[in-house]
Structures are given as C-alpha cells and as structure tokens.
Amino acid sequence: MTRPNLVIVHGAICGGCDVALANSAEALLKILDGYELAFWSVAVDSRLTDLKSLGRIDVAIFMGGVRTWEDEENARWLREKSRVLVAFGSCAAYGGIPGLAALSPPREIINVVKATVTTTSRGEGLEGLPKLPELGTYRALPDVVSVDIVVPGCPPPIKVINEFVNVLSKYTSGERPTEPVVVAGSKAQCEVCPRKPKDFPKLQIPEIKRVYEVKIDENKCFLEQGILCLGPLTRDGCEHSCISANMPCTGCFGPLPGFEDVGLRYIAGVLALVAVEREKELMEQGLAKILDKLLDRLGVFYRYTLPRSRLYKLKLGVEGGGGAK
Amino acid sequence: MDSEEPRIGVFVCHCGLNIAGVIDVKKVVEEAAKLPHVVHAEDYIYMCSAPGQELIKKAIVEKKLNAVVVAACTPTMHYETFARAVEAAGLNRYRLEMAAIREFSSWVHPDKKKATEKAMKLVKAAVAKVAGNSSLDPIKSKVVKKALVIGGGIAGITAALDLANAGIPVVLVEKSPSIGGKMAMLSETFPTLDCAQCILTPKMAEVARHPLVRIYANSEVVDASGYVGNFKVKILQRARYVRVADCRLCGFCERVCPVKAPSEFNRELSERKAIYIPFPQAIPSAYVIDRANCKHWVDGCERCLKVCPTKAIDFNDGDKLVEEEVGAIIVATGYELFPAEKLREYGYGVYRDVIDSLQFERILSAGGPTRGSILRPSDGKPVKKVVFIQCAGSRDVNYLEYCSKICCMYTAKHALIFKERVPDGEAYVFYIDIRAAGKGYEEFIKRVQEEFQVNYIRGRVNRVYRDPKTGEMVVVGFDTLTGQVVTVKADLVVLATGLVPTLPRELASKLRIQLDKYGFAQEVHPKLRPVETVTSGVFICGVIHAPKDIAETVAQASAAAAKTMELLSSEFIVKEPLVAVVDRDLCSGCRVCTGICPYGAIEFVDGKAKVNELLCEGCGACVVACPSRAIELRNYLTKQLVEMVRAVVE
Amino acid sequence: MSFWEPKIVAFLCKWCSGAAAELAGVSRLMYSPNVVPIVVPCSGRVDPDLVVEAFMNGADGVVVTGCHTPSDCHYIAGNFKAFKRIYVLRKLLGDFGIEPERLRLEWVSAVESQKLKAVFDEFTATIRKLGPLRAGPRGEST
C-alpha cells in the first residue's frame, strides 16, 4: 500500500515558510511519516522536471505568490494534478508583502532593479545561464486556481502548522473540502488579545502615533495609545508573537471571513474613531492633520493582502484587465 | 428579513400630471412587474386618495402581499398615510417603502426619457430595500415616575419644586451640608436689588416641607447606570454626626467647641467651629460636624455631646450608601469662581485686601463676617476707596477664554451698594467692555455710572501691590480712552473672576454627558433641544450648562423640569424600532463600536457588545465601523444597501 | 448608437441633504438626471465598502452629502465620521490609480436646495470630463 505523496512547490518566496516548516519538528515528522515527500527543492535535491514526471499528486503545498509565468504554469499544473492544493503562508494565501508590488507594472520593477543593482558583469555573452522568466501580474494563489486549504501567517506559526497537519489528515483519502478551509480562527484578534481590558471601557483613539514615537505600554491596547494595530480585522489563531513583543498586529493572518478588503474596513471603523472626543474642536482641518500622520496607507492596510483586496480588483476592472468583480 | 419569500406589490402614482405629465407611468409599472419578487404592479391617478389606498389594501389581501412599494411623493409627505393603509390591511407598517419619483425625478428632470429611466431606478432600489425589511414592533419600556435632581442651588430647588408640584416625587442631592448654593451667599441680586436670602429662603423652606421631595444633603451621587425611564443611582450620604430631627439650633455645642476652621460659607473671611451650621436659614435645619477638624477622633473630646439638651449628637454616625431608582435626572451642579490666586499680578492670596466677588458679597451681607459694614480684611478699617477689576482671568487665552456673562452686572451692583453705604467713598471699575444685555441691565449700568458716580476706566490692570509705607493697596492700570497709565490707591481690591463649572468628570462620564473643553455640559442643540443632553432622560440647567444669571437659571430650571414632566407623564416610553442590533456570535469584543456611538448606547455584556434599544437612535455609524460586521441596523441592513446600490447603478 | 453618460450615485442623509433634495423638487429646480439618490439615515451610515460597491457595479462617480459640521448632524457627529472615512478613502483610491475626484463629500443643509443642485450639476460635469471609470468597449478614457 503506497503512502500518499506530497510536494512542496515554490512561487515567489523568501524562504521563511520553508524554515517554518523545517522548524515545526513534530508537524514535519508527521508529514514525513504519513506522506512520501516527492518534491521539496530546498530539502531534497531535485528539479522541476522531476516534479512534472509525477503521475498523480495527493497533496500539493504551494508557497509564495504567483509572480512569473513559470509560477502560474506550475500553479495550474498542480491544480490539475493534485487532489488537495494548499496555499501555505500569507504570500500564497493573500499575496503577502510582495503583493504591494502588484501596483507597479512589471516593466517598471525590472527597470528599477536594473537601475539600482551595481554589477561589474551583466552576464551578457555568458552561455548556459537560464533566462529570467517574465513577470506577470502578481497574484495570490486563490486568484489563479481554486485552493483547498489555506495556511496563513508570515510565516505560519508552529501552532498553526500543527493544526494544518490535523486538517490534512481529514483529507488524506478521497474527498476534497467543499470550500477552502482556512487554518485560522474566524474571529478577530481582539477576541483573545491579552491587552483587552476586563471592564470594556469605551475605546478612545486620541491620535495617530508611529511605534517609535511612543514608549508603548505593554499592558494597554495599542489603539488606545494611538498605535495602528490591525487586530480588530485580522483572524485570530496565531501565537501573538508580535503583540507579546510589544508590537502591534500587522495583519498577516488575513481578513475575517467574508471580507477581502482590510483597508476599507479599517477606514470605516478604526480611523473613523480617531480623535472622536475632540471632533468639534478640531473640525475637518484638525482631523485631516491627524489622519495625514498615516503616510503609508498601502503598507499599513494591505501589507499582506493587497492582490486580493476589493480596491485592487476594482483597479484591474477599471483597466480592462479582467477579474473586475 | 423574515424567512418567508417576499411578495412585493408596486403602486405607481400619477399624482395628476405632476408625475404622469413627465414620466411614462405605464412603462414604470411594466418594468416593475419584471423585478424579482414583484407579484403585483399597478398605477393610479392619486394613490394617497381613499380609492387609491383601497387599491393597495385590496392587492395586499388578494395577492397575499407581504411588502409594498409606493412610487409617488416623498416619505415626508405620505409615509404615514400609506403606513396606516397597509396596517389596515393587516400588513406591518415597516414592510412599506416609498420611491420619491415626484420630488426626485418628475419635478426636476424635464427630459421625459431620462426622468422615466431615473424613476425606474428609484423603484428598483425601493423594491430591493423592501425585500429585506422585517416586520417590527415599536419598543416599549416602563418608566419610573420619579426624578433625581443633582445640585441644591437655585436651579435644583426650582426644578425640584416644579416637579413636586406636578405630582412627581423628587430626590434632591446636595454636596454641602445645606441647600441654597451660591445664591444663599449673595447680599442683593441685580437688577432689582432684592435681598437674595429673602427671595431664596421661602423656596428653600417650601422644598424642605414638600411631601414629595426627599433631600439628601451632605451627599454626592457616586454612581449612575441604566437608561431613560430606568436609572439606578447610588448616593453617598456622608455622616453628619448630628441627628437632624433632634437638633433645635440652640447653639450650645458651638459655644463649647474648642476647634476653629475657616468658614466655607463666608468664603474663608471668618472662622467657624468644627460643629457648625453653615448659615442660620440652612436646610436641613441642623448643625453638622466637620470630621476632618473635629478633635473627637483625636483625643476623645465630647464637649458638644455633654451640653446638647436633646442629645442630638451621634459620634457613631457613619457614611451611608443609598440606592435610588429614577426615571429622569436633572443635573444642576452650578459653579465655582475661577481660583484668583492664579492671577499672580493681582496678588490674591498674598494680600488680604485683594478679594474676589463672592467674598465681597459676604462683606456686604448683613449676616456676613462684618455684619454688612464694608471693612477691609487685613485690619478691619472701614473701606473708603474700592477698586473693582472686571474680566479678572476671563476672555484671556492664558486663563479662561470665555466671557462669564454676569460679572459686569454684579460688579455694577457691588459698586452701587458700596456707594449707597459709603456715600463719601470712591469706587473705580477697570473694564474691557460692558456686557449688559438683559432686561433693564443697560439702564442699571447707566444709573451706577451717572447717579452713583462710579468711575469706569476702560483698560486693564497691570499690577496690584501694597505700598509698604502707607499700607494702601496700589492698583496700576491703563486707561485706553485717554491713553494714560492710571494709578489708583485703594483700601480694597475686588476681582470679578469668572465662573467655572464643577461637574466631576467621572460623574459626567457615568451619566454620559458630554462636556465641552471648559467643562460645561453640552446640550444637544442650543435652539432645538436646549436642556437635553445626548443621553436620553438626562437634562441640564443653570450654570453647569453655561454662565448665566439667576433669572435665566430659574427659567432654564423650569424648562428642564417641563421636559422631565413630559418624559415621566406616560407609563411607557414608546420608540421607533429602527435601531442597531449585535450578533453576539460575530462580535470579537474589539470595542470600536463603543467609541463611535454618540449616545453611549453600546455596552458590554459577557464580553460582547450589546445595543441598548432605548438609547440607540438608529444612525448606523456603528454598523459601518464594526470590523466584523457584527452590528446591523434594522431595515437598513448592509446587504439591503448593497442591493440598492446595484439597482441604481447597473 | 448611444453616447456614454456619467452614472453617479448620491448618498443623501435623511435630515439635511435629503430634505434639501425634497425642497429642490418642490421648487422645481432642474438638475442633472445622471445623479440617482439613495437616502440613508445619516452620512455616517455610508460605508466605504458601499462606495467601492458603487464603482464596481458601474458608477463613474459617487457623491456623499451630509449635515454641516460642527453641530447640524441630527445624530450629533455622524458627519465627522463620514468626513474621516471619505478623506482617507479618496487618498486610497488615488493609491490604486483611481482619480480621487470621482468621490466627493459635501455638506448641504435642509434649506440649501440651490447648493445641492449646483453640487449635482458640477459633479456631473467633473465626471463627464474625467470620462468613464472603466475602459470598456464604448468608453473613451481621456
């Protein structure tokens, strides 16, 4: 009786998800126990041709976003061949940090890189070197193919990887999940945040402060100190490594079920709450000045989720590039 | 939306030619009939007429409609008309929507084709909305027919009497040992120059003996919770150590008491004993022991107890926490004077002969520390020359930015009374402007200037100091009308300082009263709702709202009482049910909603948000703000709005 | 063949700008039929998601009207919430390459029917100049 096989394929990665998986010890051992690891270029010496020679794939784990035509080809191929396709890590799930580059045309990105990299050799005339694959529109995996399991996190914490292995065991044979299973909570971080005050006082956000401007009180809610924390809109389930290190949540676990656009919800709620006690005193001018403190809207709202956001989809629709709704 | 399938009827009105003259009504009906869930569509010349309404009722019954759209004028015109019509046919009134194709289309767009197209969009949006409407019942809540008045000054006393005389039981809470407030300290009141005590004490007596008024003096409201019609308050009744019912005001205790302390009532111009009565006409009519200064707890002194003929003194008395349930709260906590020691150039607190306006009132008072003789505090010498400094710390970005309204008038009054009692005396008033806008006020000022020959100098005072050789107070100022420095030597300097509000911020936040940047309580709207606060059932009156004189205070107190009577006059409060509701399963406890709601209508129960139906006004700001979409606004659900937008744009 | 006409959604708050629209109707003030109103209880009820929904479904422009600051809002401060939301949303639209001018916020009191007409007409002209939001088969992006 052959064990089901499992492949781990990379899109546009940083390597962090590989490290996380390797670090997960127990989970990794369970995977290696239950599955035949047929492809993981970081751990096992193999080539893409070895992957493509596989007849059938039970579980395919895709890490990273879909940046090049090669990534896209691989993603589509994997979907066709695999029973269960997993988007592993925030890049695969939502686009991740490189998703912020989705707003720059690929040509512009190449030009910037060429202009800023100093090298004595441009590799011209050297034979046998592979050609760089062409950059396409940057996308998260679910925007290219349907995905069965989503494991968020940048990188996914050990707790979540363990949970992922449990989820996987339910689909070892036969059925695919009818809709994508997200290995994270479905409530916001605030539900379990250690900084949530026991007596639920009214939430007041006096102004906007950058993390370096304030000596952050370890026991107080970030928002109350003016620090823009994405906790209220981010799924729970992580190990709170950021919050316990006295840094606000930046949203790597992605938006709550039913929402794709973090920015729109953040504007609607948290930003609308800024300086509420002083609205009449500050008037539009004063309020605008406080809101102008937020310089990097895209970086704060969409650090991990830009390619899946509604506004991005609107932009694509406006340009006639398809995928409008 | 309730679980049944919507069965919508669309009724398009011609409104004579108002609509039909521009819009192709038949086409609108035709298109409406094609919309999802629409099972009936017709038009009629005047939908609001009796036959028009009959058509609607008939269709509801025959076609088993559970939702109705009337495309006609605006809801402002005829929502009520059609709501009653659908109710008569057995349909809940909240299953009705109107598309204002007259005001929003036929009357404003001359192009028939475009007007018709727009009308169809408006109808489509209304159909999309009504498909998501639920049947709702008005919200009812029982009302406790009792009122709390916080503050026993003239504002609180007036409100309490108005309410009690209307048959409403009142709980009156006063922080100091006696009611009466600042008005009891005044000598005369402007512009009539009535003796303040003479007009106040009858009211104090009336409120004391009124069977429907319960006075808690020496007490403070320490907690308040609940909502309109059902407030629960906790009152800390501080120990008096004297049984009120037994005290005969004989005063033997006072004579033997070995301890002296500054008299609050005389604004520290004289002393009182540790066992004292604030003033003779105090209500409750009894002595009180000032525990902080009394020696009983230091060395067991019991001299007063030994001489009291009725054994009214009780050292075992303790603070009590009393709970009361009331339907409405009136806040009338009044003011204090701006602390004049902050005005370093004027020497208040340094020189005993620089005093503030309330201290001057005490000097003028027949019952005051000098029995009405105008003597200066440092050595008791009769005052021959007095300088009044108006706007002391007011209209000044460094201290109080605002004008306290009454200081020009009370200074003029002070100057008048001084000149009356010291005809050969000299009075000077340094002013920036004269504010005398009330009835007879301008005439009063003129009289003081001309008849009583008080010297008004337009300019500010630079410095006040005492001449070490002569002992006189020297006031150095500038006369802007002559352009010269002016130096006045005087026996007494009176600072007309401004009024500052005294409502503690914790109590304000418990009552959910908004305070402005100076600490004055905020009314909902100065013209439309002048005595109401954002919290339903909590009213304000007197200086806690804004500086004002006694006449305005009394009028506003009666207004607050009237609003309270309106509220408490029915057994139930009935409210439109179009409020926000929280889905506990979706709520993550992030608290964003609590900060957004202007009415403080959202509280936390077992870790999840809960909207208080009675306080929610249905604005929907929380619905937009909730990051989890856990809150929705009844009959204005997010998904309804999404459908309306699609209907209008596609 | 039909030419492109701007599609504009207007969110009117019931108490101030909605009343102004009714007054405009009663006064027979003619204005651009391209603007279709949706009345909401308060400008604070307008969700940024809803604005984007309008753009995604074909709107070329969105205008939100509410009561004047600081004190006209029937619900105390809903207009301030609308201001903050729309202020940042406009910038966010710009970040995504969509002209911020396609979203406008105006304060219109219940008696300012003339102002409402002017806002609707001017905004329609602005959108006409900006062109259709989508580069579609008939749209000519300027």
Side-chain angles (χ1 to χ4, degrees):
Chain A
M1 154 100 169
T2 45
R3 281 187 301 172
N5 65 1
L6 182 141
V7 299
I8 301 175
V9 179
H10 297 134
I13 53 160
C14 71
C17 288
D18 296 294
V19 172
L21 191 53
N23 264 355
S24 69
E26 201 180 290
L28 182 59
L29 289 174
K30 277 200 186 140
I31 290 176
L32 293 174
D33 214 32
Y35 295 84
E36 160 112 26
L37 183 59
F39 186 84
W40 191 11
S41 51
V42 119
V44 177
D45 189 26
S46 48
R47 308 198 149 200
L48 216 47
T49 42
D50 300 320
L51 173 68
K52 297 287 171 77
S53 69
L54 292 173
R56 114 198 164 265
I57 298 175
D58 291 289
V59 178
I61 293 179
F62 192 94
M63 293 176 178
V66 175
R67 176 84 260 190
T68 67
W69 67 265
E70 191 178 63
D71 298 329
E72 177 158 352
E73 216 186 59
N74 288 344
R76 292 192 191 282
W77 186 86
L78 281 173
R79 176 72 277 179
E80 218 189 279
K81 288 285 184 205
S82 323
R83 197 168 43 80
V84 175
L85 178 58
V86 181
F88 193 92
S90 294
C91 287
Y94 307 116
I97 294 176
L100 292 168
L103 286 176
S104 307
R107 177 106 320 201
E108 202 183 291
I109 297 176
I110 301 278
N111 288 344
V112 167
V113 171
K114 277 193 180 163
T116 49
V117 164
T118 40
T119 170
T120 51
S121 158
R122 282 195 229 119
E124 288 147 342
L126 288 174
E127 297 190 4
L129 280 182
K131 192 170 178 291
L132 271 180
E134 227 178 272
L135 272 60
T137 316
Y138 186 88
R139 271 162 300 166
L141 189 62
D143 279 331
V144 182
V145 293
S146 67
V147 164
D148 301 305
I149 300 176
V150 173
V151 185
C154 179
I158 294 179
K159 167 175 155 188
V160 165
I161 299 178
N162 286 333
E163 181 55 31
F164 160 59
V165 171
N166 289 340
V167 169
L168 204 54
S169 63
K170 293 199 190 103
Y171 303 107
T172 308
S173 56
E175 302 301 299
R176 259 188 204 170
T178 44
E179 20 171 80
V181 175
V182 179
V183 185
S186 51
K187 301 296 280 293
Q189 290 280 356
C190 301
E191 173 103 329
V192 294
C193 180
R195 297 182 183 221
K196 186 160 77 171
K198 304 272 180 293
D199 51 348
F200 300 96
K202 193 159 100 163
L203 178 59
Q204 290 186 18
I205 307 178
E207 53 190 325
I208 294 177
K209 289 251 188 250
R210 306 281 295 278
V211 294
Y212 66 83
E213 285 180 302
V214 164
K215 187 167 190 303
I216 305 178
D217 183 334
E218 286 184 353
N219 299 309
K220 210 170 155 196
C221 168
F222 288 102
L223 291 173
E224 275 169 356
Q225 302 179 63
I227 307 284
L228 295 180
C229 173
L230 254 58
L233 311 101
T234 306
R235 287 177 183 260
D236 68 341
C238 69
E239 289 164 354
H240 288 158
S241 33
C242 301
I243 296 173
S244 13
N246 211 20
M247 288 300 274
C249 168
T250 50
C252 76
F253 255 48
L256 299 172
F259 305 103
E260 299 97 37
D261 198 308
V262 175
L264 294 178
R265 296 314 303 144
Y266 207 73
I267 294 174
V270 177
L271 289 189
L273 193 51
V274 171
V276 149
E277 307 290 310
R278 298 196 296 146
E279 279 166 349
K280 294 199 180 175
E281 192 192 309
L282 291 167
M283 293 293 281
E284 288 91 313
Q285 220 181 5
L287 291 169
K289 214 161 146 212
I290 293 183
L291 291 170
D292 283 341
K293 206 60 188 300
L294 172 55
L295 295 167
D296 182 14
R297 288 170 293 275
L298 295 176
V300 170
F301 302 152
Y302 302 108
R303 186 173 295 195
Y304 305 93
T305 61
L306 194 140
R308 297 226 66 194
S309 69
R310 273 190 114 200
L311 278 172
Y312 183 66
K313 302 282 165 72
L314 174 63
K315 174 194 150 74
L316 290 179
V318 161
E319 289 168 350
K325 287 185 197 181
Chain B
M1 180 66 186
D2 307 28
S3 50
E4 48 179 1
E5 270 290 302
R7 291 178 58 81
I8 304 174
V10 177
F11 302 86
V12 185
C13 183
H14 296 218
C15 196
L17 285 177
N18 282 312
I19 294 175
V22 178
I23 290 177
D24 182 349
V25 180
K26 295 289 177 204
K27 183 134 193 265
V28 176
V29 170
E30 204 183 288
E31 290 302 311
K34 296 183 194 160
L35 292 171
H37 304 299
V38 173
V39 299
H40 177 93
E42 68 179 300
D43 59 288
Y44 187 67
I45 187 163
Y46 289 110
M47 264 314 163
C48 55
S49 65
Q53 293 182 44
E54 279 311 307
L55 284 177
I56 298 177
K57 292 185 213 171
K58 190 156 161 272
I60 290 175
V61 171
E62 282 179 10
K63 297 277 184 83
K64 296 195 191 354
L65 302 179
N66 57 22
V68 165
V69 168
V70 178
C73 49
T74 65
T76 315
M77 296 286 308
H78 277 307
Y79 190 88
E80 197 54 35
T81 312
F82 295 119
R84 300 217 181 145
V86 307
E87 276 176 331
L91 184 61
N92 184 285
R93 61 164 43 212
Y94 295 101
R95 300 285 202 110
L96 164 70
E97 286 293 328
M98 285 183 72
I101 61 175
R102 187 182 73 172
E103 277 83 342
F104 289 172
S105 188
S106 67
W107 268 356
V108 292
H109 304 315
D111 181 322
K112 293 189 182 182
K113 187 159 167 285
K114 295 199 173 163
T116 305
E117 268 168 24
K118 183 160 164 186
M120 294 194 295
K121 288 190 182 164
L122 290 170
V123 169
K124 199 169 169 199
V127 166
K129 178 164 196 290
V130 86
N133 279 3
S134 301
S135 297
L136 298 170
D137 294 312
I139 298 168
K140 261 170 99 166
S141 168
K142 215 162 182 327
V143 166
V144 173
K145 197 162 171 180
K146 198 172 187 190
L148 167 68
V149 177
I150 309 180
I154 183 62
I157 291 170
T158 303
L161 281 174
D162 284 3
L163 287 167
N165 286 333
I168 294 173
V170 177
V171 172
L172 179 60
V173 177
E174 166 56 46
K175 194 165 64 172
S176 60
S178 168
I179 60 173
K182 299 294 182 298
M183 189 176 169
M185 297 175 191
L186 305 181
S187 173
E188 279 100 332
T189 61
F190 61 77
T192 50
L193 300 175
D194 291 305
C195 141
Q197 290 270 357
C198 307
I199 53 177
L200 176 65
T201 47
K203 288 222 174 278
M204 286 169 60
E206 201 186 330
V207 84
R209 66 170 178 263
H210 203 298
L212 287 178
V213 180
R214 171 92 202 254
I215 299 180
Y216 290 100
N218 217 30
S219 305
E220 257 185 277
V221 175
V222 293
D223 198 17
S225 61
Y227 48 90
V228 57
N230 288 279
F231 291 106
K232 288 189 181 35
V233 293
K234 292 202 179 121
I235 301 167
L236 176 64
Q237 193 176 25
R238 295 209 176 82
R240 249 187 128 92
Y241 306 105
V242 174
R243 272 183 286 269
V244 173
D246 296 333
C247 178
R248 294 282 173 274
L249 299 183
C250 61
F252 296 159
C253 54
E254 195 175 16
R255 266 186 253 160
V256 302
C257 175
V259 179
K260 288 198 179 146
S263 163
E264 293 88 342
F265 190 73
N266 280 333
R267 308 294 288 181
E268 305 191 359
L269 288 175
S270 67
E271 287 176 322
R272 54 153 175 85
K273 297 296 183 72
I275 184 164
Y276 69 104
I277 185 163
F279 54 100
Q281 306 89 335
I283 301 280
S285 193
Y287 274 70
V288 60
I289 293 181
D290 157 22
R291 179 173 172 148
N293 289 304
C294 171
K295 286 244 168 70
H296 172 81
W297 288 276
V298 172
D299 58 20
C301 172
E302 285 194 347
R303 291 194 212 175
C304 51
L305 180 60
K306 295 197 177 100
V307 302
C308 176
T310 57
K311 298 277 173 271
I313 294 173
D314 175 14
F315 286 111
N316 293 319
D317 193 9
D319 294 349
K320 289 185 208 49
L321 199 59
V322 179
E323 284 191 29
E324 288 273 5
E325 264 185 49
V326 296
I329 301 177
I330 297 182
V331 179
T333 50
Y335 67 93
E336 238 316 327
L337 284 186
F338 178 77
E341 59 272 12
K342 289 194 176 174
L343 309 168
R344 305 274 281 280
E345 302 87 347
Y346 296 160
Y348 183 90
V350 175
Y351 307 111
R352 292 191 64 193
D353 295 331
V354 177
I355 60 173
D356 67 25
S357 43
L358 271 176
Q359 286 174 319
F360 194 62
E361 291 282 350
R362 294 314 303 145
I363 289 177
L364 292 177
S365 288
T370 61
R371 297 260 166 270
S373 301
I374 307 182
L375 311 172
R376 66 181 197 182
S378 60
D379 57 9
K381 192 168 144 268
V383 174
K384 282 284 187 230
K385 278 172 81 173
V386 60
V387 172
F388 297 95
I389 303 179
Q390 286 187 186
C391 285
S394 292
R395 303 177 65 196
D396 189 335
V397 291
N398 301 303
Y399 307 109
L400 297 178
E401 280 181 49
Y402 54 92
C403 165
S404 284
K405 197 169 189 183
I406 63 172
C407 330
C408 289
M409 284 306 294
Y410 73 53
T411 298
K413 172 191 72 171
H414 287 169
L416 185 156
I417 298 172
F418 170 78
K419 288 290 284 186
E420 248 182 5
R421 299 201 195 159
V422 187
D424 60 335
E426 282 172 55
Y428 297 85
V429 177
F430 280 88
Y431 72 99
I432 307 174
D433 295 291
I434 296 295
R435 292 187 167 168
K439 198 163 170 179
Y441 289 14
E442 179 64 25
E443 295 88 324
F444 187 84
I445 300 283
K446 277 271 167 296
R447 203 179 147 213
V448 167
Q449 288 172 330
E450 287 163 15
E451 192 185 319
F452 288 86
Q453 308 218 312
V454 171
N455 300 296
Y456 271 71
I457 303 171
R458 189 178 181 283
R460 304 201 65 175
V461 168
N462 174 312
R463 233 173 35 111
V464 174
Y465 64 94
R466 193 187 293 281
D467 183 335
K469 291 199 214 83
T470 61
E472 289 171 305
M473 296 306 302
V474 183
V475 178
V476 184
F478 193 78
D479 183 345
T480 55
L481 294 178
T482 60
Q484 296 187 328
V485 173
V486 170
T487 307
V488 182
K489 301 210 169 113
D491 302 305
L492 184 68
V493 178
V494 182
L495 305 178
T497 47
L499 312 181
V500 295
T502 52
L503 182 62
R505 288 212 172 241
E506 301 98 68
L507 184 57
S509 86
K510 292 208 164 104
L511 293 170
R512 279 168 273 128
I513 295 183
Q514 291 175 328
L515 300 180
D516 70 13
K517 61 178 166 169
Y518 307 121
F520 290 106
Q522 193 70 36
E523 71 273 39
V524 177
H525 192 284
K527 295 183 172 57
L528 298 175
R529 296 168 73 183
V531 292
E532 295 171 65
T533 65
V534 160
T535 308
S536 238
V538 177
F539 306 97
I540 50 176
C541 61
V543 179
I544 188 55
H545 160 254
K548 56 175 65 70
D549 57 40
I550 294 171
E552 289 169 329
T553 296
V554 170
Q556 203 180 44
S558 287
K563 283 310 223 182
T564 304
M565 280 181 234
E566 189 189 333
L567 179 65
L568 302 182
S569 61
S570 25
E571 212 193 322
F572 288 97
I573 298 186
V574 179
K575 224 187 130 172
E576 280 255 318
L578 301 170
V579 296
V581 182
V582 178
D583 180 341
R584 285 177 64 90
D585 292 329
L586 294 175
C587 176
S588 302
C590 71
R591 298 182 295 140
V592 170
C593 54
T594 58
I596 290 269
C597 177
Y599 301 101
I602 304 182
E603 52 194 356
F604 266 77
V605 175
D606 292 331
K608 310 277 181 185
K610 182 160 190 271
V611 175
N612 183 326
E613 288 190 327
L614 287 171
L615 295 179
C616 173
E617 293 283 319
C619 72
C622 58
V623 177
V624 176
C626 176
S628 310
R629 282 261 162 73
I631 312 187
E632 281 292 357
L633 191 59
R634 285 199 189 128
N635 286 4
Y636 252 107
L637 307 173
T638 304
K639 68 171 187 242
Q640 284 176 288
L641 279 169
V642 168
E643 290 303 318
M644 288 173 83
V645 166
R646 289 186 183 159
V648 151
V649 170
E650 270 162 0
Chain C
M1 168 169 169
S2 57
F3 294 94
W4 164 74
E5 275 293 322
K7 269 193 190 166
I8 297 170
V9 179
F11 290 99
L12 306 180
C13 81
K14 173 173 155 188
W15 300 91
C16 288
S17 44
E22 287 183 32
L23 181 58
V26 165
S27 318
R28 314 293 200 277
L29 292 180
M30 304 297 172
Y31 56 81
S32 157
N34 299 67
V35 179
V36 186
I38 294 179
V39 175
V40 288
C42 178
S43 55
R45 178 73 187 87
V46 179
D47 197 322
D49 260 307
L50 210 57
V51 171
V52 172
E53 182 77 29
F55 285 127
M56 293 200 93
N57 281 281
D60 301 298
V62 173
V63 57
V64 178
T65 57
C67 305
H68 284 271
T69 53
S71 312
D72 283 12
C73 180
H74 180 85
Y75 301 102
I76 320 292
N79 51 1
F80 281 108
K81 311 299 181 286
F83 170 74
K84 287 185 246 182
R85 290 166 179 153
I86 305 283
Y87 181 76
V88 184
L89 181 57
R90 282 174 54 118
K91 296 198 175 191
L92 205 53
L93 286 171
D95 293 336
F96 282 90
I98 294 165
E99 301 98 326
E101 297 79 46
R102 291 188 185 271
L103 173 60
R104 189 164 159 179
L105 177 67
E106 279 292 342
W107 304 138
V108 178
S109 79
V111 294
E112 290 180 308
S113 46
Q114 290 282 4
K115 180 174 178 187
L116 192 68
K117 169 192 150 74
V119 167
F120 283 173
D121 287 339
E122 271 168 35
F123 192 58
T124 305
T126 303
I127 300 296
R128 213 181 276 283
K129 222 161 139 199
L130 284 173
L133 179 60
R134 290 178 179 339
R138 270 187 263 156
E140 305 270 352
S141 294
T142 34

